[in-house]
PDB file of all heavy atoms in Angstrom:
ATOM      1  N   VAL M  17       5.530  11.308 -29.759  1.00  0.00           N
ATOM      2  CA  VAL M  17       4.931  10.070 -29.414  1.00  0.00           C
ATOM      3  C   VAL M  17       5.700   9.398 -28.269  1.00  0.00           C
ATOM      4  O   VAL M  17       6.779   9.647 -28.041  1.00  0.00           O
ATOM      5  CB  VAL M  17       4.825   9.084 -30.617  1.00  0.00           C
ATOM      6  CG1 VAL M  17       3.984   9.619 -31.788  1.00  0.00           C
ATOM      7  CG2 VAL M  17       6.214   8.733 -31.164  1.00  0.00           C
ATOM      8  N   SER M  18       4.945   8.434 -27.598  1.00  0.00           N
ATOM      9  CA  SER M  18       5.646   7.603 -26.630  1.00  0.00           C
ATOM     10  C   SER M  18       5.173   6.204 -26.691  1.00  0.00           C
ATOM     11  O   SER M  18       5.619   5.370 -25.860  1.00  0.00           O
ATOM     12  CB  SER M  18       5.299   8.086 -25.140  1.00  0.00           C
ATOM     13  OG  SER M  18       5.742   9.428 -24.957  1.00  0.00           O
ATOM     14  N   GLY M  19       4.235   5.827 -27.607  1.00  0.00           N
ATOM     15  CA  GLY M  19       3.688   4.473 -27.511  1.00  0.00           C
ATOM     16  C   GLY M  19       3.303   3.961 -28.960  1.00  0.00           C
ATOM     17  O   GLY M  19       4.046   3.974 -29.921  1.00  0.00           O
ATOM     18  N   SER M  20       2.055   3.407 -29.023  1.00  0.00           N
ATOM     19  CA  SER M  20       1.674   2.674 -30.200  1.00  0.00           C
ATOM     20  C   SER M  20       1.391   3.549 -31.399  1.00  0.00           C
ATOM     21  O   SER M  20       1.682   3.127 -32.488  1.00  0.00           O
ATOM     22  CB  SER M  20       0.330   1.912 -29.823  1.00  0.00           C
ATOM     23  OG  SER M  20      -0.758   2.347 -30.612  1.00  0.00           O
ATOM     24  N   GLY M  21       1.056   4.834 -31.166  1.00  0.00           N
ATOM     25  CA  GLY M  21       0.894   5.733 -32.253  1.00  0.00           C
ATOM     26  C   GLY M  21      -0.276   5.509 -33.214  1.00  0.00           C
ATOM     27  O   GLY M  21      -0.201   5.782 -34.430  1.00  0.00           O
ATOM     28  N   SER M  22      -1.417   5.047 -32.635  1.00  0.00           N
ATOM     29  CA  SER M  22      -2.603   4.919 -33.530  1.00  0.00           C
ATOM     30  C   SER M  22      -3.121   6.274 -33.980  1.00  0.00           C
ATOM     31  O   SER M  22      -3.600   6.431 -35.147  1.00  0.00           O
ATOM     32  CB  SER M  22      -3.763   4.127 -32.848  1.00  0.00           C
ATOM     33  OG  SER M  22      -4.253   4.885 -31.778  1.00  0.00           O
ATOM     34  N   ASN M  23      -2.937   7.321 -33.144  1.00  0.00           N
ATOM     35  CA  ASN M  23      -3.216   8.639 -33.575  1.00  0.00           C
ATOM     36  C   ASN M  23      -2.349   9.153 -34.676  1.00  0.00           C
ATOM     37  O   ASN M  23      -2.783   9.765 -35.639  1.00  0.00           O
ATOM     38  CB  ASN M  23      -3.320   9.655 -32.428  1.00  0.00           C
ATOM     39  CG  ASN M  23      -4.628   9.617 -31.700  1.00  0.00           C
ATOM     40  OD1 ASN M  23      -5.667  10.119 -32.179  1.00  0.00           O
ATOM     41  ND2 ASN M  23      -4.574   9.023 -30.480  1.00  0.00           N
ATOM     42  N   LEU M  24      -1.019   8.892 -34.561  1.00  0.00           N
ATOM     43  CA  LEU M  24      -0.123   9.151 -35.680  1.00  0.00           C
ATOM     44  C   LEU M  24      -0.541   8.513 -36.916  1.00  0.00           C
ATOM     45  O   LEU M  24      -0.523   9.111 -37.940  1.00  0.00           O
ATOM     46  CB  LEU M  24       1.319   8.730 -35.189  1.00  0.00           C
ATOM     47  CG  LEU M  24       2.353   8.588 -36.312  1.00  0.00           C
ATOM     48  CD1 LEU M  24       2.776  10.033 -36.814  1.00  0.00           C
ATOM     49  CD2 LEU M  24       3.580   7.854 -35.869  1.00  0.00           C
ATOM     50  N   GLN M  25      -0.908   7.252 -36.817  1.00  0.00           N
ATOM     51  CA  GLN M  25      -1.285   6.434 -38.041  1.00  0.00           C
ATOM     52  C   GLN M  25      -2.484   7.179 -38.734  1.00  0.00           C
ATOM     53  O   GLN M  25      -2.573   7.291 -39.891  1.00  0.00           O
ATOM     54  CB  GLN M  25      -1.698   5.034 -37.679  1.00  0.00           C
ATOM     55  CG  GLN M  25      -1.946   4.118 -38.861  1.00  0.00           C
ATOM     56  CD  GLN M  25      -0.603   3.931 -39.696  1.00  0.00           C
ATOM     57  OE1 GLN M  25       0.357   3.499 -39.103  1.00  0.00           O
ATOM     58  NE2 GLN M  25      -0.704   4.181 -40.962  1.00  0.00           N
ATOM     59  N   ALA M  26      -3.461   7.594 -37.941  1.00  0.00           N
ATOM     60  CA  ALA M  26      -4.616   8.191 -38.476  1.00  0.00           C
ATOM     61  C   ALA M  26      -4.274   9.491 -39.176  1.00  0.00           C
ATOM     62  O   ALA M  26      -4.746   9.769 -40.355  1.00  0.00           O
ATOM     63  CB  ALA M  26      -5.751   8.576 -37.416  1.00  0.00           C
ATOM     64  N   ALA M  52       5.130   3.331 -32.709  1.00  0.00           N
ATOM     65  CA  ALA M  52       4.870   4.564 -33.468  1.00  0.00           C
ATOM     66  C   ALA M  52       6.061   4.863 -34.373  1.00  0.00           C
ATOM     67  O   ALA M  52       5.949   5.335 -35.529  1.00  0.00           O
ATOM     68  CB  ALA M  52       4.680   5.773 -32.498  1.00  0.00           C
ATOM     69  N   ARG M  55       5.737   2.737 -37.404  1.00  0.00           N
ATOM     70  CA  ARG M  55       4.802   3.288 -38.256  1.00  0.00           C
ATOM     71  C   ARG M  55       5.410   4.372 -39.114  1.00  0.00           C
ATOM     72  O   ARG M  55       5.130   4.440 -40.440  1.00  0.00           O
ATOM     73  CB  ARG M  55       3.577   3.901 -37.512  1.00  0.00           C
ATOM     74  CG  ARG M  55       2.853   2.836 -36.724  1.00  0.00           C
ATOM     75  CD  ARG M  55       1.625   3.600 -36.134  1.00  0.00           C
ATOM     76  NE  ARG M  55       0.912   2.927 -35.044  1.00  0.00           N
ATOM     77  CZ  ARG M  55      -0.156   2.200 -35.131  1.00  0.00           C
ATOM     78  NH1 ARG M  55      -0.702   1.976 -36.412  1.00  0.00           N
ATOM     79  NH2 ARG M  55      -0.700   1.581 -34.151  1.00  0.00           N
ATOM     80  N   LEU M  94       1.116  16.563 -30.045  1.00  0.00           N
ATOM     81  CA  LEU M  94       1.368  15.510 -29.048  1.00  0.00           C
ATOM     82  C   LEU M  94       0.415  14.464 -29.177  1.00  0.00           C
ATOM     83  O   LEU M  94      -0.839  14.504 -28.885  1.00  0.00           O
ATOM     84  CB  LEU M  94       1.196  16.133 -27.636  1.00  0.00           C
ATOM     85  CG  LEU M  94       1.936  17.492 -27.405  1.00  0.00           C
ATOM     86  CD1 LEU M  94       1.717  17.865 -25.954  1.00  0.00           C
ATOM     87  CD2 LEU M  94       3.379  17.344 -27.695  1.00  0.00           C
ATOM     88  N   ALA M  95       0.814  13.280 -29.747  1.00  0.00           N
ATOM     89  CA  ALA M  95      -0.046  12.076 -30.055  1.00  0.00           C
ATOM     90  C   ALA M  95       0.338  10.968 -29.084  1.00  0.00           C
ATOM     91  O   ALA M  95       1.092  10.045 -29.484  1.00  0.00           O
ATOM     92  CB  ALA M  95       0.144  11.728 -31.539  1.00  0.00           C
ATOM     93  N   GLY M  96      -0.116  11.038 -27.914  1.00  0.00           N
ATOM     94  CA  GLY M  96       0.197  10.020 -26.975  1.00  0.00           C
ATOM     95  C   GLY M  96       1.640  10.211 -26.451  1.00  0.00           C
ATOM     96  O   GLY M  96       2.352   9.298 -26.113  1.00  0.00           O
ATOM     97  N   PHE M  97       2.065  11.496 -26.243  1.00  0.00           N
ATOM     98  CA  PHE M  97       3.410  11.828 -25.701  1.00  0.00           C
ATOM     99  C   PHE M  97       3.251  11.949 -24.244  1.00  0.00           C
ATOM    100  O   PHE M  97       2.647  12.887 -23.743  1.00  0.00           O
ATOM    101  CB  PHE M  97       3.882  13.138 -26.403  1.00  0.00           C
ATOM    102  CG  PHE M  97       5.296  13.465 -25.997  1.00  0.00           C
ATOM    103  CD1 PHE M  97       6.336  12.628 -26.385  1.00  0.00           C
ATOM    104  CD2 PHE M  97       5.523  14.711 -25.394  1.00  0.00           C
ATOM    105  CE1 PHE M  97       7.627  12.977 -26.070  1.00  0.00           C
ATOM    106  CE2 PHE M  97       6.949  15.068 -25.147  1.00  0.00           C
ATOM    107  CZ  PHE M  97       7.953  14.205 -25.434  1.00  0.00           C
ATOM    108  N   MET M  98       3.894  10.978 -23.495  1.00  0.00           N
ATOM    109  CA  MET M  98       3.645  10.880 -21.996  1.00  0.00           C
ATOM    110  C   MET M  98       4.622  11.657 -21.255  1.00  0.00           C
ATOM    111  O   MET M  98       5.373  11.138 -20.388  1.00  0.00           O
ATOM    112  CB  MET M  98       3.710   9.396 -21.652  1.00  0.00           C
ATOM    113  CG  MET M  98       2.616   8.557 -22.335  1.00  0.00           C
ATOM    114  SD  MET M  98       0.987   9.199 -22.207  1.00  0.00           S
ATOM    115  CE  MET M  98       0.608   8.760 -20.557  1.00  0.00           C
ATOM    116  N   ASN M 115      -2.603  18.995 -28.314  1.00  0.00           N
ATOM    117  CA  ASN M 115      -2.748  17.675 -27.645  1.00  0.00           C
ATOM    118  C   ASN M 115      -4.099  17.028 -27.818  1.00  0.00           C
ATOM    119  O   ASN M 115      -5.081  17.680 -27.999  1.00  0.00           O
ATOM    120  CB  ASN M 115      -2.392  17.927 -26.080  1.00  0.00           C
ATOM    121  CG  ASN M 115      -2.346  16.584 -25.341  1.00  0.00           C
ATOM    122  OD1 ASN M 115      -1.804  15.605 -25.772  1.00  0.00           O
ATOM    123  ND2 ASN M 115      -3.041  16.604 -24.215  1.00  0.00           N
ATOM    124  N   ILE M 116      -4.117  15.772 -27.720  1.00  0.00           N
ATOM    125  CA  ILE M 116      -5.379  14.992 -27.698  1.00  0.00           C
ATOM    126  C   ILE M 116      -5.518  14.433 -26.297  1.00  0.00           C
ATOM    127  O   ILE M 116      -4.547  13.771 -25.784  1.00  0.00           O
ATOM    128  CB  ILE M 116      -5.579  13.988 -28.838  1.00  0.00           C
ATOM    129  CG1 ILE M 116      -6.966  13.419 -28.811  1.00  0.00           C
ATOM    130  CG2 ILE M 116      -4.551  12.895 -28.722  1.00  0.00           C
ATOM    131  CD1 ILE M 116      -7.653  13.431 -30.128  1.00  0.00           C
ATOM    132  N   HIS M 117      -6.755  14.544 -25.738  1.00  0.00           N
ATOM    133  CA  HIS M 117      -7.006  13.952 -24.430  1.00  0.00           C
ATOM    134  C   HIS M 117      -8.294  13.124 -24.475  1.00  0.00           C
ATOM    135  O   HIS M 117      -9.283  13.545 -25.061  1.00  0.00           O
ATOM    136  CB  HIS M 117      -7.107  15.085 -23.377  1.00  0.00           C
ATOM    137  CG  HIS M 117      -7.386  14.606 -22.039  1.00  0.00           C
ATOM    138  ND1 HIS M 117      -6.368  14.091 -21.293  1.00  0.00           N
ATOM    139  CD2 HIS M 117      -8.501  14.560 -21.308  1.00  0.00           C
ATOM    140  CE1 HIS M 117      -6.846  13.754 -20.120  1.00  0.00           C
ATOM    141  NE2 HIS M 117      -8.193  13.952 -20.135  1.00  0.00           N
ATOM    142  N   PRO M 118      -8.269  11.959 -23.884  1.00  0.00           N
ATOM    143  CA  PRO M 118      -9.398  11.084 -24.068  1.00  0.00           C
ATOM    144  C   PRO M 118     -10.565  11.322 -23.081  1.00  0.00           C
ATOM    145  O   PRO M 118     -11.139  10.456 -22.456  1.00  0.00           O
ATOM    146  CB  PRO M 118      -8.901   9.673 -23.806  1.00  0.00           C
ATOM    147  CG  PRO M 118      -7.708   9.926 -22.864  1.00  0.00           C
ATOM    148  CD  PRO M 118      -7.225  11.286 -23.182  1.00  0.00           C
ATOM    149  N   ALA M 119     -11.015  12.634 -22.994  1.00  0.00           N
ATOM    150  CA  ALA M 119     -12.116  12.971 -22.081  1.00  0.00           C
ATOM    151  C   ALA M 119     -12.614  14.298 -22.660  1.00  0.00           C
ATOM    152  O   ALA M 119     -12.004  15.073 -23.379  1.00  0.00           O
ATOM    153  CB  ALA M 119     -11.666  13.067 -20.624  1.00  0.00           C
ATOM    154  N   VAL M 129      -8.378   8.036 -17.210  1.00  0.00           N
ATOM    155  CA  VAL M 129      -9.652   8.660 -17.317  1.00  0.00           C
ATOM    156  C   VAL M 129     -10.806   7.781 -17.592  1.00  0.00           C
ATOM    157  O   VAL M 129     -11.935   8.003 -17.167  1.00  0.00           O
ATOM    158  CB  VAL M 129      -9.638   9.835 -18.315  1.00  0.00           C
ATOM    159  CG1 VAL M 129      -8.678  10.846 -17.886  1.00  0.00           C
ATOM    160  CG2 VAL M 129      -9.375   9.313 -19.648  1.00  0.00           C
ATOM    161  N   TRP M 130     -10.597   6.684 -18.271  1.00  0.00           N
ATOM    162  CA  TRP M 130     -11.722   5.812 -18.794  1.00  0.00           C
ATOM    163  C   TRP M 130     -12.396   5.151 -17.602  1.00  0.00           C
ATOM    164  O   TRP M 130     -13.639   5.128 -17.416  1.00  0.00           O
ATOM    165  CB  TRP M 130     -11.254   4.737 -19.801  1.00  0.00           C
ATOM    166  CG  TRP M 130     -10.509   5.396 -20.932  1.00  0.00           C
ATOM    167  CD1 TRP M 130     -10.971   6.114 -21.944  1.00  0.00           C
ATOM    168  CD2 TRP M 130      -9.024   5.355 -21.100  1.00  0.00           C
ATOM    169  NE1 TRP M 130      -9.994   6.502 -22.757  1.00  0.00           N
ATOM    170  CE2 TRP M 130      -8.810   6.103 -22.241  1.00  0.00           C
ATOM    171  CE3 TRP M 130      -8.040   4.860 -20.392  1.00  0.00           C
ATOM    172  CZ2 TRP M 130      -7.434   6.329 -22.732  1.00  0.00           C
ATOM    173  CZ3 TRP M 130      -6.750   4.956 -20.840  1.00  0.00           C
ATOM    174  CH2 TRP M 130      -6.454   5.760 -21.943  1.00  0.00           C
ATOM    175  N   GLY M 142     -15.911  11.258 -24.135  1.00  0.00           N
ATOM    176  CA  GLY M 142     -15.439  11.742 -25.488  1.00  0.00           C
ATOM    177  C   GLY M 142     -14.013  12.106 -25.450  1.00  0.00           C
ATOM    178  O   GLY M 142     -13.287  11.607 -24.593  1.00  0.00           O
ATOM    179  N   CYS M 143     -13.626  12.982 -26.334  1.00  0.00           N
ATOM    180  CA  CYS M 143     -12.248  13.363 -26.450  1.00  0.00           C
ATOM    181  C   CYS M 143     -12.121  14.790 -26.944  1.00  0.00           C
ATOM    182  O   CYS M 143     -13.143  15.353 -27.430  1.00  0.00           O
ATOM    183  CB  CYS M 143     -11.510  12.461 -27.467  1.00  0.00           C
ATOM    184  SG  CYS M 143     -12.329  12.110 -29.003  1.00  0.00           S
ATOM    185  N   THR M 144     -10.975  15.342 -26.603  1.00  0.00           N
ATOM    186  CA  THR M 144     -10.808  16.803 -26.839  1.00  0.00           C
ATOM    187  C   THR M 144      -9.427  17.047 -27.483  1.00  0.00           C
ATOM    188  O   THR M 144      -8.430  16.501 -27.028  1.00  0.00           O
ATOM    189  CB  THR M 144     -10.714  17.531 -25.440  1.00  0.00           C
ATOM    190  OG1 THR M 144     -11.946  17.260 -24.726  1.00  0.00           O
ATOM    191  CG2 THR M 144     -10.540  18.984 -25.635  1.00  0.00           C
ATOM    192  N   ASP M 153      -3.588  19.639 -19.358  1.00  0.00           N
ATOM    193  CA  ASP M 153      -4.967  19.495 -19.901  1.00  0.00           C
ATOM    194  C   ASP M 153      -5.807  20.646 -19.740  1.00  0.00           C
ATOM    195  O   ASP M 153      -7.001  20.532 -19.587  1.00  0.00           O
ATOM    196  CB  ASP M 153      -5.613  18.146 -19.387  1.00  0.00           C
ATOM    197  CG  ASP M 153      -4.758  17.026 -19.675  1.00  0.00           C
ATOM    198  OD1 ASP M 153      -4.076  16.865 -20.757  1.00  0.00           O
ATOM    199  OD2 ASP M 153      -4.785  16.046 -18.817  1.00  0.00           O
ATOM    200  N   ASN M 175     -12.555   3.152 -23.795  1.00  0.00           N
ATOM    201  CA  ASN M 175     -11.297   3.640 -24.483  1.00  0.00           C
ATOM    202  C   ASN M 175     -11.439   3.376 -25.957  1.00  0.00           C
ATOM    203  O   ASN M 175     -11.179   4.335 -26.762  1.00  0.00           O
ATOM    204  CB  ASN M 175     -10.149   2.826 -23.892  1.00  0.00           C
ATOM    205  CG  ASN M 175      -8.780   3.201 -24.482  1.00  0.00           C
ATOM    206  OD1 ASN M 175      -8.772   4.122 -25.363  1.00  0.00           O
ATOM    207  ND2 ASN M 175      -7.828   2.537 -24.058  1.00  0.00           N
ATOM    208  N   ILE M 178     -13.858   5.779 -27.700  1.00  0.00           N
ATOM    209  CA  ILE M 178     -13.315   7.156 -27.664  1.00  0.00           C
ATOM    210  C   ILE M 178     -12.153   7.217 -28.726  1.00  0.00           C
ATOM    211  O   ILE M 178     -12.065   8.275 -29.479  1.00  0.00           O
ATOM    212  CB  ILE M 178     -12.839   7.580 -26.345  1.00  0.00           C
ATOM    213  CG1 ILE M 178     -13.981   7.759 -25.334  1.00  0.00           C
ATOM    214  CG2 ILE M 178     -12.024   8.909 -26.448  1.00  0.00           C
ATOM    215  CD1 ILE M 178     -13.693   7.943 -23.914  1.00  0.00           C
ATOM    216  N   LEU M 179     -11.314   6.209 -28.732  1.00  0.00           N
ATOM    217  CA  LEU M 179     -10.137   6.269 -29.608  1.00  0.00           C
ATOM    218  C   LEU M 179     -10.551   6.375 -31.125  1.00  0.00           C
ATOM    219  O   LEU M 179      -9.937   7.157 -31.865  1.00  0.00           O
ATOM    220  CB  LEU M 179      -9.275   5.013 -29.429  1.00  0.00           C
ATOM    221  CG  LEU M 179      -7.869   4.970 -29.942  1.00  0.00           C
ATOM    222  CD1 LEU M 179      -7.045   6.156 -29.291  1.00  0.00           C
ATOM    223  CD2 LEU M 179      -7.177   3.705 -29.663  1.00  0.00           C
ATOM    224  N   GLU M 182     -11.009   9.929 -31.599  1.00  0.00           N
ATOM    225  CA  GLU M 182      -9.732  10.697 -31.571  1.00  0.00           C
ATOM    226  C   GLU M 182      -9.106  10.724 -33.008  1.00  0.00           C
ATOM    227  O   GLU M 182      -8.570  11.717 -33.343  1.00  0.00           O
ATOM    228  CB  GLU M 182      -8.763  10.002 -30.608  1.00  0.00           C
ATOM    229  CG  GLU M 182      -9.154  10.129 -29.118  1.00  0.00           C
ATOM    230  CD  GLU M 182      -8.123   9.533 -28.287  1.00  0.00           C
ATOM    231  OE1 GLU M 182      -6.971   9.389 -28.629  1.00  0.00           O
ATOM    232  OE2 GLU M 182      -8.536   9.083 -27.241  1.00  0.00           O
ATOM    233  N   HIS M 183      -9.145   9.541 -33.680  1.00  0.00           N
ATOM    234  CA  HIS M 183      -8.541   9.368 -34.930  1.00  0.00           C
ATOM    235  C   HIS M 183      -9.168  10.343 -35.980  1.00  0.00           C
ATOM    236  O   HIS M 183      -8.588  10.733 -36.967  1.00  0.00           O
ATOM    237  CB  HIS M 183      -8.640   7.983 -35.462  1.00  0.00           C
ATOM    238  CG  HIS M 183      -7.849   7.084 -34.510  1.00  0.00           C
ATOM    239  ND1 HIS M 183      -8.087   5.713 -34.560  1.00  0.00           N
ATOM    240  CD2 HIS M 183      -6.874   7.292 -33.634  1.00  0.00           C
ATOM    241  CE1 HIS M 183      -7.258   5.167 -33.567  1.00  0.00           C
ATOM    242  NE2 HIS M 183      -6.537   6.053 -33.085  1.00  0.00           N
ATOM    243  N   PHE M 186      -8.473  14.720 -34.363  1.00  0.00           N
ATOM    244  CA  PHE M 186      -7.111  15.260 -34.347  1.00  0.00           C
ATOM    245  C   PHE M 186      -6.841  15.759 -35.735  1.00  0.00           C
ATOM    246  O   PHE M 186      -6.374  16.923 -35.947  1.00  0.00           O
ATOM    247  CB  PHE M 186      -6.146  14.202 -33.987  1.00  0.00           C
ATOM    248  CG  PHE M 186      -5.037  14.726 -33.086  1.00  0.00           C
ATOM    249  CD1 PHE M 186      -4.136  13.846 -32.363  1.00  0.00           C
ATOM    250  CD2 PHE M 186      -4.846  16.027 -32.863  1.00  0.00           C
ATOM    251  CE1 PHE M 186      -3.179  14.340 -31.604  1.00  0.00           C
ATOM    252  CE2 PHE M 186      -3.833  16.524 -32.031  1.00  0.00           C
ATOM    253  CZ  PHE M 186      -2.976  15.688 -31.363  1.00  0.00           C
TER     254      PHE M 186
HETATM  255  C1  GRF W 307      -4.745   8.150 -26.528  1.00  0.00           C
HETATM  256  O1  GRF W 307      -5.545   7.605 -25.597  1.00  0.00           O
HETATM  257  C2  GRF W 307      -4.684   9.665 -26.415  1.00  0.00           C
HETATM  258  O2  GRF W 307      -5.911  10.227 -26.066  1.00  0.00           O
HETATM  259  C3  GRF W 307      -3.704   9.922 -25.220  1.00  0.00           C
HETATM  260  O3  GRF W 307      -2.773   8.949 -25.520  1.00  0.00           O
HETATM  261  C4  GRF W 307      -3.271   7.803 -26.274  1.00  0.00           C
HETATM  262  C5  GRF W 307      -2.408   7.651 -27.503  1.00  0.00           C
HETATM  263  O4  GRF W 307      -2.710   6.514 -28.146  1.00  0.00           O
HETATM  264  N1  GRF W 307      -3.262  11.224 -25.216  1.00  0.00           N
HETATM  265  P1  GRF W 307      -1.887   6.229 -29.492  1.00  0.00           P
HETATM  266  O5  GRF W 307      -0.433   6.110 -29.138  1.00  0.00           O
HETATM  267  O6  GRF W 307      -2.129   7.282 -30.456  1.00  0.00           O
HETATM  268  O7  GRF W 307      -2.508   4.989 -29.980  1.00  0.00           O
END
Side-chain angles (χ1 to χ4, degrees):
V17 297
S18 300
S20 114
S22 70
N23 276 287
L24 166 68
Q25 187 67 55
R55 294 184 196 265
L94 307 185
F97 186 59
M98 302 305 284
N115 182 45
I116 187 130
H117 181 75
V129 299
W130 309 284
C143 46
T144 303
D153 302 323
N175 179 2
I178 292 171
L179 197 56
E182 291 183 28
H183 295 162
F186 220 168

